[in-house]
Amino acid sequence: MNIHDSLVKEQRLMEILSEMKRIIIAFSGGVDSTYLLKVALQTLGKENVLAITADSESFPPSEREETIRIAKAIDAPHQIIKMSELSIPGYSENDSNRCYYCKKGLFENLYPIMIEKGYHNLTFGLIKDDLGDHRPGVKAAIEKNVRGPLAEADITKEDIRIRSKELGLDTWDKPSLACLSSRIAYGEKITIEKLRKVDEAEQFIKGFGIKQVRVRVHHEIARIEVDPADMNELLKYHNEVSEQLRFIGFKYVAMDLVGYKSGSMNKMLEGTIS
């Protein structure tokens, strides 16, 4: 990656943000939204930027606390709102449009805050890499006129990690985030109990020093994805992991030999996505 190219893209991002004037950022504390927040603060000033985190059933409590820590570290105005995704019609049925229902609900919660507080635009951490995957949430953003400044500036995940490190953001090497619902196989109903099981299982595995982990749920099967480099480490603790995940409520525990892959559940939709 050419560092110069990343700087050029960041300059374009600053131009886009300048045109927006006053923005709200849907803030998850992940690599992308943290970088967007940092650049927005530098470009617009803290009086023109508000980060909002939606505390919902599918957002791990540990990540909620992380958003508070990050916002304080970069001196960003930050607000947490309560949101129930499971109350959104169509969401818990978990079809291929689940992310559409989620993002639509999120944006509908943020819009009144934008009007009340006098901000001009809603934004979220969409990046160029996201545009080639199954992303129903993008449709919701278009419908609600929510902007993705990073994608508009042609910024990739690699660009963000490079610049985040140079800007001193400790999220530069943070594993990719996704909501807990993304771990549950399409067509299988989402419940609070299943989300709890996933979160407990992943936190347990991370306790062995494995940063990137997904526990995918296929009914009674827990399919564990970690980076290939961490597979041997996971196998060292296979007895402990198997016992704990069975205690949590899974009947079968398996490791995916392909390893971690973002959006791997979308393979279930191949041939069904138009």
Side-chain angles (χ1 to χ4, degrees), residues 193 196-197 200-201 219-222 242-253:
E193 175 65 13
R196 179 196 63 79
K197 287 164 61 175
E200 286 188 18
H219 298 289
E220 297 177 325
I221 301 171
S242 177
E243 288 177 7
Q244 182 63 21
L245 267 61
R246 289 171 188 269
F247 175 77
I248 288 171
F250 296 104
K251 286 191 176 181
Y252 305 97
V253 180

Side-chain angles (χ1 to χ4, degrees), residues 41 54-55 107 120 130 142 153 166 215 218-219 224 247 255:
L41 290 169
D55 183 14
F107 300 147
H120 300 158
D130 297 332
I142 293 171
E166 293 175 347
V215 174
H218 302 265
H219 298 289
I224 303 170
F247 175 77
M255 182 175 73

